[in-house]
Amino acid sequence: MVVRCGRELAGACSAMRSLGKDRAALTGSVSSQLATENNCKVKQRYHHPSETLNQLEVPEHIHSPSLEMLLRRLRAMEAQQDDKFASILDVVGKFGTFQRRLVALTFIPNILLAFFMFADIFMFTAQKPYCNTSWILAIDPNLSEAEQLNLTLPREPNGSFQTCLMYLPVAWDLDSIIQFGLNYTVSCQDGWIYPETKKRSLVNEFDLVCGKESNMEGVQTMFLAGLLIGSLIFGFVSDKLGRYPTILMSLLGLIIFGFGAAFVNTFHQYLFFRFVVSQALVCYAISSVCLATEWLVGQHRAHAIILEHCFFSMGVMFLTGLAYILPHWRLLFLVGGAPVFPLISYIWMLPESPRWLMLKGKLGAAKRVLCYAASVNEKTIPLSLLDKLQLPGKKVTKASVLDFYNNRHLRKVTLVMGCVWFTVGYSYFTMSLKLKDFGVNINLTQVVPGLMEVPARLCCIFLLELMGRKWSLILTLFQGSLMCLLILILPPELKSMMVLMIVLGEFSLAASASVFFIYTAELLPTVLRATGLGLVSLAWAAGAISSLVVIQQKLTFLPIFLCCISAFLALFLCSLLPETQDQPLSDTLEHYSLQMRNVAEELFTKEVVVDDGTDEVTKNTILNSMIQKSDMDILSNVSLQDASLQGRGEETDPLNN
């Protein structure tokens, strides 16, 4: 009975095939007639079916929104079929319990990343130092602090005490000192005192005053240099060792050199610890974005990275609140850095990227990770689908940093995104440095931008769905650059207007940063994704260092000029990149080159050159292709069911037994 049903089903399948051929012929003839009536010239050439929809493009004179939607839908359908890994993730669950847990694990360290990144802002609070003149207390220990300063410190013309000079100590008695006074001044010999200071900072801990103020700028330069070197090193390490071990390395660096900064004995040790912790920060930022990108699909990927950046902004507010409450800089590092210790549990909780495992030839490990994710999501991956997960070209994929020079597409993406990231880094630090000139409270300068960055990043969710990756980046970058230009042009007297422009600029640049990470991670292939993110992050550090150098120059037009030039160049280059929304991730350089090339000739298995066509002709052709594609999918499913029923019939038919 079952065998008979299988044969009947096979007959029905054959009838459907013939019906599909007839309908394809009919639709082809209709399209041909329509093309003739509209004087369209069609040239035909054979192509492989896998190149069909990747080479589909609308003629330049057609601007129908509905037509573009049809084309985008066709490309997305074809791309999903070609990406076997995406089909496996669909079975695993696009955003199940496993993915939600993974995203939550990447959220938590971002709060600490913001804490360790901006901690220096509260380490150098303004201090009013005076020379330590306790030598006079040996003459009369009953002197009050005001009397001591009045007798031993020279005064400025406005009547205030000088901060870096003191009277030369003498072996007189107190009456002689009061009667004749002291006349000879020298620089501070026994250090400084800070009578008006209520909090302990690096300034009064290591006496960074009177000619040593440049050390504060040295800390910023050292931190940015660490970001620059870390971007270059750990992006490469992440592609070689994997996302999982590099994230563990970054967390270890935060524990030793972030939390450990509270125990330094000299200022040079503090500089070294900040230099190393900056490398740990950029290591985690790159590896976590790669891990989220390679585990999630579609809109879930963008949402996860945006929410991850929202937690970074919340970390800035967390740092500001602790700095306001705690009176000692060492205590700030102890309390704020303590939550890094529970992150040791990531050794057992964090998964490796299966895409990376597959490209490195570790197919068994990749399948185990995928099966574990499916079990957490209460799903089951069919063995037939899991067996399709194979090495590209039956061998381990190899790539090197030199591919960023040899591969034309990689070179273009790296240069464009590097220019964008340089512009963002330069503009962000320029606005931050200008804000210090307005005398705004240091806590407000951190809380207000932090509060504005959260809605700015959340707005990116709607912006990305509406405009796509490329135009979202262009829009946010343009707005941020415009705010930076207005800040540099407006006169300093308009203080309230300047602060408003800075807040709006922070809003736009925060959105640009989130879109940038999403867009760049999708443009780069898995085999070099972390290395590419490291190279473009290097450009961000270079832009920040450039802002520190340029803002100190006497030429006031130089910051404006560099801001305008970099912004104009970045906006122009962004328009040359392709859109990545609803497109599969590239894993290898070969797939990457195929996906990036711009082909505008082919429609299905024929090259269509339209000299004077209409929207109706093209729409009919596209709709016909969608019908044929749907029929092929139905017939494929029927064939699988036919084979399955025949197999079951052979097993259960008593005649065969």
Side-chain angles (χ1 to χ4, degrees):
M1 183 68 179
V2 177
V3 174
R4 187 168 63 244
C5 292
R7 291 169 182 171
E8 291 176 359
L9 186 58
C13 181
S14 177
M16 290 182 67
R17 290 191 185 98
S18 62
L19 179 61
K21 292 179 180 178
D22 294 338
R23 183 163 58 178
L26 178 60
T27 52
S29 63
V30 171
S31 300
S32 177
Q33 290 177 1
L34 289 171
T36 305
E37 292 173 0
N38 289 278
N39 296 324
C40 293
K41 299 178 182 179
V42 179
K43 294 169 63 179
Q44 298 182 355
R45 188 180 65 188
Y46 175 76
H47 283 267
H48 191 274
S50 63
E51 300 177 359
T52 296
L53 294 174
N54 288 333
Q55 296 177 346
L56 183 63
E57 186 148 333
V58 189
E60 294 182 357
H61 63 278
I62 295 178
H63 302 286
S64 172
S66 59
L67 179 59
E68 293 180 0
M69 290 179 61
L70 287 172
L71 287 170
R72 184 179 298 180
R73 183 178 174 186
L74 279 174
R75 291 194 186 104
M77 291 168 60
E78 181 71 15
Q80 290 175 359
Q81 286 190 352
D82 291 341
D83 192 355
K84 297 182 178 63
F85 196 88
S87 61
I88 294 178
L89 288 181
D90 288 341
V91 177
V92 171
K94 291 186 177 181
F95 200 68
T97 303
F98 178 84
Q99 285 84 355
R100 288 193 292 269
R101 188 178 69 183
L102 172 66
V103 170
L105 290 176
T106 59
F107 283 173
I108 299 171
N110 273 275
I111 299 177
L112 296 175
L113 255 64
F115 175 86
F116 289 121
M117 185 170 186
F118 296 105
D120 289 330
I121 296 175
F122 301 96
M123 298 294 107
F124 296 93
T125 54
Q127 307 286 339
K128 186 68 173 178
Y130 300 107
C131 292
N132 182 11
T133 57
S134 57
W135 63 268
I136 200 172
L137 296 179
I139 300 174
D140 188 350
N142 296 323
L143 288 173
S144 65
E145 185 177 299
E147 293 173 337
Q148 175 187 344
L149 296 177
N150 188 48
L151 292 173
T152 58
L153 295 180
R155 292 180 178 270
E156 298 284 356
N158 59 4
S160 62
F161 293 112
Q162 294 188 13
T163 59
C164 299
L165 292 176
M166 58 178 283
Y167 286 120
L168 184 68
V170 295
W172 300 351
D173 56 58
L174 184 61
D175 293 335
S176 299
I177 293 175
I178 296 174
Q179 181 179 1
F180 298 105
L182 302 176
N183 297 319
Y184 298 101
T185 59
V186 292
S187 58
C188 299
Q189 297 179 343
D190 300 318
W192 290 262
I193 59 174
Y194 307 86
E196 301 175 4
T197 302
K198 298 180 180 179
K199 290 189 176 184
R200 192 75 170 172
S201 69
L202 287 174
V203 175
N204 49 27
E205 179 84 13
F206 301 113
D207 292 329
L208 304 179
V209 293
C210 298
K212 299 181 181 179
E213 293 89 347
S214 59
N215 285 324
M216 291 181 281
E217 299 168 356
V219 171
Q220 289 182 325
T221 304
M222 185 66 70
F223 186 85
L224 293 173
L227 289 177
L228 191 147
I229 295 175
S231 301
L232 188 62
I233 295 176
F234 288 103
F236 174 78
V237 171
S238 181
D239 280 331
K240 288 297 180 182
L241 300 183
R243 299 10 174 164
Y244 169 74
T246 49
I247 288 178
L248 295 183
M249 289 170 57
S250 65
L251 297 179
L252 181 63
L254 294 180
I255 292 174
I256 297 176
F257 298 99
F259 181 82
F263 303 98
V264 298
N265 296 320
T266 64
F267 183 69
H268 291 93
Q269 289 181 5
Y270 180 82
L271 286 177
F272 175 74
F273 273 57
R274 295 299 293 166
F275 174 76
V276 179
V277 81
S278 63
Q279 299 181 44
L281 296 178
V282 73
C283 175
Y284 179 82
I286 292 173
S287 299
S288 63
V289 168
C290 289
L291 188 65
T293 300
E294 292 162 8
W295 262 111
L296 302 175
V297 294
Q299 60 181 355
H300 302 295
R301 181 189 304 138
H303 295 173
I305 295 177
I306 289 172
L307 292 176
E308 183 178 337
H309 291 172
C310 289
F311 273 77
F312 182 86
S313 301
M314 292 171 61
V316 176
M317 293 183 281
F318 168 71
L319 166 65
T320 306
L322 283 181
Y324 182 78
I325 297 172
L326 299 177
H328 202 293
W329 71 273
R330 294 185 187 271
L331 192 60
L332 179 61
F333 274 112
L334 289 174
V335 176
V340 75
F341 286 97
L343 300 182
I344 297 175
S345 61
Y346 278 34
I347 297 175
W348 301 278
M349 300 172 62
L350 204 66
E352 181 57 274
S353 166
R355 284 184 181 270
W356 182 87
L357 289 171
M358 180 184 67
L359 292 177
K360 293 301 177 180
K362 303 178 181 180
L363 286 179
K367 293 178 180 179
R368 286 194 297 271
V369 171
L370 289 170
C371 291
Y372 172 72
S375 65
V376 173
N377 291 338
E378 299 181 354
K379 304 284 186 179
T380 302
I381 305 177
L383 292 178
S384 59
L385 184 61
L386 201 60
D387 290 339
K388 294 180 180 179
L389 193 65
Q390 296 178 353
L391 290 175
K394 304 293 183 181
K395 61 182 180 180
V396 177
T397 303
K398 294 183 179 180
S400 67
V401 181
L402 296 178
D403 289 317
F404 287 95
Y405 174 77
N406 298 327
N407 189 287
R408 181 172 60 89
H409 303 291
L410 270 180
R411 186 168 63 247
K412 182 174 73 172
V413 169
T414 306
L415 290 176
V416 172
M417 288 306 185
C419 183
V420 172
W421 211 218
F422 177 90
T423 303
V424 173
Y426 175 81
S427 303
Y428 184 88
F429 270 79
T430 300
M431 287 191 292
S432 299
L433 294 172
K434 293 291 289 184
L435 190 60
K436 294 180 180 179
D437 300 337
F438 303 140
V440 182
N441 183 275
I442 188 173
N443 294 297
L444 291 177
T445 60
Q446 298 303 310
V447 171
V448 174
L451 288 173
M452 293 297 294
E453 286 180 7
V454 174
R457 299 183 193 278
L458 292 178
C459 286
C460 290
I461 296 177
F462 305 100
L463 198 62
L464 289 170
E465 294 179 355
L466 182 65
M467 303 181 63
R469 273 53 164 165
K470 180 169 73 172
W471 289 106
S472 297
L473 180 61
I474 291 175
L475 178 63
T476 54
L477 180 62
F478 173 77
Q479 185 177 349
S481 302
L482 180 62
M483 294 301 106
C484 182
L485 180 62
L486 292 176
I487 290 167
L488 296 173
I489 291 177
L490 289 175
E493 293 78 15
L494 301 176
K495 182 177 177 180
S496 58
M497 183 63 69
M498 294 281 281
V499 174
L500 178 61
M501 293 297 104
I502 289 176
V503 171
L504 292 177
E506 293 273 359
F507 183 94
S508 302
L509 292 178
S512 297
S514 295
V515 177
F516 172 86
F517 271 104
I518 298 169
Y519 193 22
T520 308
E522 292 178 347
L523 281 171
L524 295 169
T526 301
V527 69
L528 288 172
R529 181 166 291 118
T531 305
L533 283 173
L535 290 177
V536 295
S537 299
L538 186 149
W540 181 87
I545 294 174
S546 300
S547 69
L548 294 176
V549 175
V550 172
I551 205 71
Q552 297 175 2
Q553 304 300 317
K554 296 181 180 180
L555 300 175
T556 56
F557 70 91
L558 189 58
I560 303 175
F561 178 76
L562 185 57
C563 181
C564 294
I565 291 297
S566 61
F568 175 78
L569 183 61
L571 289 170
F572 171 74
L573 293 176
C574 279
S575 62
L576 304 178
L577 294 177
E579 180 59 67
T580 61
Q581 190 171 14
D582 298 325
Q583 296 297 319
L585 289 178
S586 301
D587 289 326
T588 63
L589 293 176
E590 292 78 10
H591 181 211
Y592 178 75
S593 300
L594 258 171
Q595 197 176 27
M596 290 284 291
R597 61 184 184 178
N598 182 20
V599 183
E601 306 138 336
E602 185 67 17
L603 190 62
F604 313 119
T605 60
K606 303 174 182 180
E607 180 181 342
V608 180
V609 180
V610 184
D611 293 337
D612 186 20
T614 62
D615 287 358
E616 192 65 29
V617 175
T618 311
K619 286 181 182 179
N620 286 335
T621 311
I622 293 174
L623 289 172
N624 292 335
S625 70
M626 294 180 68
I627 293 171
Q628 293 179 9
K629 186 176 184 64
S630 178
D631 288 346
M632 291 175 64
D633 294 339
I634 293 173
L635 291 172
S636 177
N637 293 334
V638 170
S639 299
L640 290 175
Q641 293 177 4
D642 184 10
S644 177
L645 287 173
Q646 287 182 0
R648 292 177 185 174
E650 292 175 359
E651 293 176 0
T652 59
D653 195 347
L655 295 176
N656 294 335
N657 295 329

